[in-house]
Amino acid sequence: LVMAVIKLHGHPISTATAMVLCCLNEKEVEYDFAIVELSAGAHKQPQYLALNPFGVVPTIQDGDLTLFESRAIVKYLAKKYKGQGADLLGNTLAEQALVEQWCEVEGHSFFPPASTILFQTVLRPLRGGATDEAVVEINIGKLNKVLDIYEERLSKSKYLAGDFFSLADLQHLPWTQYLVTACKKGDLISSRKHVNAWWEDISSR
């Protein structure tokens, strides 16, 4: 019996795809990577829309299951492959609850300003638009508040949910990488001792 390999439809430049790739690698899961050519509009073609009606990447196929939304995908993978690779969920109910809590923080508090900064500083200029510096400043302000909370948290534990690497940390990888490199906003991280130590740790994985 040949085990069906998970098929990941996405693109390496996509942060959401990168999140799923990070998870697959942490869980040591074999996968086929089907590149969806975003520049050619492949994600808006009927063939791809049949998998993901929202026309965004990534999507995975695992046997009969087709799943989209990167955060749902990484949670699924972490649960399905609980016994292998890095345990990303926590062991006790309390640990799992803290992982969930910090995953929610990433989705609701960290991601919105981070993605807005990326859009304004990198994507808009690429598409011929101008960066709205006022919007960037507002969102840097929002991100500073979030990262101050992270600094406090990370002064007490090595990772966001506790002393173990989890989905809560993993979900931050793609966006923070872009903030530091493409957006040239690395000082948001490096100016905070504990956030910086945390980032050096998780980004070296």
Side-chain angles (χ1 to χ4, degrees):
L1 184 72
V2 180
M3 285 293 288
V5 174
I6 287 180
K7 187 166 189 180
L8 169 63
H9 302 265
H11 196 284
I13 203 169
S14 141
T15 44
T17 303
M19 189 193 293
V20 175
L21 286 168
C22 288
C23 188
L24 286 163
N25 289 320
E26 286 289 344
K27 297 308 292 180
E28 298 165 7
V29 176
E30 273 191 60
Y31 59 92
D32 281 336
F33 191 13
I35 303 280
V36 180
E37 288 298 352
L38 303 177
S39 56
H43 53 308
K44 303 297 184 189
Q45 296 303 314
Q47 190 182 354
Y48 185 74
L49 292 171
L51 298 175
N52 182 341
F54 293 97
V56 292
V57 293
T59 304
I60 65 164
Q61 289 176 290
D62 184 13
D64 294 335
L65 176 70
T66 300
L67 194 61
F68 48 81
E69 288 300 330
S70 54
R71 292 173 184 80
I73 294 171
V74 296
K75 193 179 288 186
Y76 166 74
L77 293 170
K79 287 178 178 173
K80 176 168 180 173
Y81 297 100
K82 178 133 181 71
Q84 71 187 59
D87 173 54
L88 301 172
L89 297 167
N91 289 310
T92 65
L93 187 60
E95 283 178 357
Q96 289 165 6
L98 286 168
V99 171
E100 286 278 351
Q101 169 185 280
W102 288 101
C103 284
E104 290 289 318
V105 170
E106 183 276 327
H108 295 287
S109 301
F110 179 88
F111 165 77
S115 57
T116 303
I117 293 165
L118 176 66
F119 177 74
Q120 286 291 343
T121 56
V122 179
L123 299 180
R124 266 190 91 161
L126 277 178
R127 294 170 187 170
T131 299
D132 186 331
E133 296 295 348
V135 172
V136 173
E137 282 310 307
I138 290 165
N139 283 280
I140 284 176
K142 289 180 184 174
L143 208 50
N144 271 319
K145 285 184 180 151
V146 176
L147 290 170
D148 284 344
I149 294 168
Y150 283 24
E151 181 69 7
E152 168 66 17
R153 170 65 183 166
L154 292 164
S155 70
K156 299 187 178 76
S157 65
K158 189 174 180 188
Y159 300 103
L160 286 172
D163 289 320
F164 60 100
F165 179 79
S166 74
L167 282 183
D169 309 292
L170 182 144
Q171 286 182 190
H172 287 81
L173 283 169
W175 288 105
T176 313
Q177 184 68 39
Y178 270 106
L179 276 176
V180 170
T181 55
C183 304
K184 309 277 188 278
K185 303 289 182 214
D187 54 318
L188 287 167
I189 306 299
S190 59
S191 62
R192 293 172 171 85
K193 180 183 156 192
H194 297 103
V195 171
N196 191 54
W198 166 75
W199 174 244
E200 287 190 351
D201 179 323
I202 67 170
S203 60
S204 68
R205 297 173 78 92

